[in-house]
Amino acid sequence: MNYKREHVIIDRTFEELMIERCYIIDQYLIVRDRGQCYAELRYGKYTYRNHEGEFTMQKSLLELKRIFIGLINKYHSFEHEGYKYTYHRGAWERFKIK
């Protein structure tokens, strides 16, 4: 498939507002590593998968911001509301996946 990529600006404000929306309303955010592990926030429910299994737990909004902003900065890639965001050649891009 040929996906149309568009450049977007991802800054700290965007990240925090996105996490707040996923915490308060029915939106989702998924950050994956390069393997089978991931972290997901969907309507306030925090789920993560590591090599030991899948776990769900409650975290405060402040903790979730710290976790997800750290993961986004580490992996330079995330999925949010049907779009895949990637950091490529010094700029953020997104394309529709659904």
Side-chain angles (χ1 to χ4, degrees), residues 1 6-7 19 22 24-25 35 37-38 48 54 58 65 71 73-74 81-84 88 96:
M1 287 187 170
E6 58 184 320
H7 289 281
I19 293 165
C22 294
I24 296 168
I25 61 176
C37 301
Y38 67 88
Y48 70 94
E54 186 174 280
Q58 288 297 115
K65 284 182 181 181
L71 290 171
N73 290 330
K74 181 176 182 178
E81 291 304 297
Y83 284 92
K84 176 79 172 177
H88 182 68
K96 191 147 183 76

Side-chain angles (χ1 to χ4, degrees), residues 4-54:
K4 180 184 174 195
R5 294 182 179 268
E6 58 184 320
H7 289 281
V8 293
I9 296 173
I10 305 293
D11 58 11
R12 184 68 170 229
T13 302
F14 176 89
E15 292 171 335
E16 288 184 359
L17 290 173
M18 174 179 60
I19 293 165
E20 288 172 12
R21 286 191 306 267
C22 294
Y23 187 78
I24 296 168
I25 61 176
D26 193 17
Q27 290 190 6
Y28 75 92
L29 168 63
I30 301 172
V31 182
R32 300 178 195 281
D33 71 356
R34 289 165 184 84
Q36 297 295 319
C37 301
Y38 67 88
E40 177 179 8
L41 178 59
R42 186 182 301 263
Y43 204 40
K45 185 172 119 180
Y46 170 57
T47 304
Y48 70 94
R49 177 178 174 77
N50 62 21
H51 300 293
E52 298 173 7
E54 186 174 280

Side-chain angles (χ1 to χ4, degrees), residues 69-87:
I69 289 172
L71 290 171
I72 289 168
N73 290 330
K74 181 176 182 178
Y75 295 111
H76 301 286
S77 176
F78 62 93
E79 180 182 329
H80 175 64
E81 291 304 297
Y83 284 92
K84 176 79 172 177
Y85 294 80
T86 57
Y87 190 75

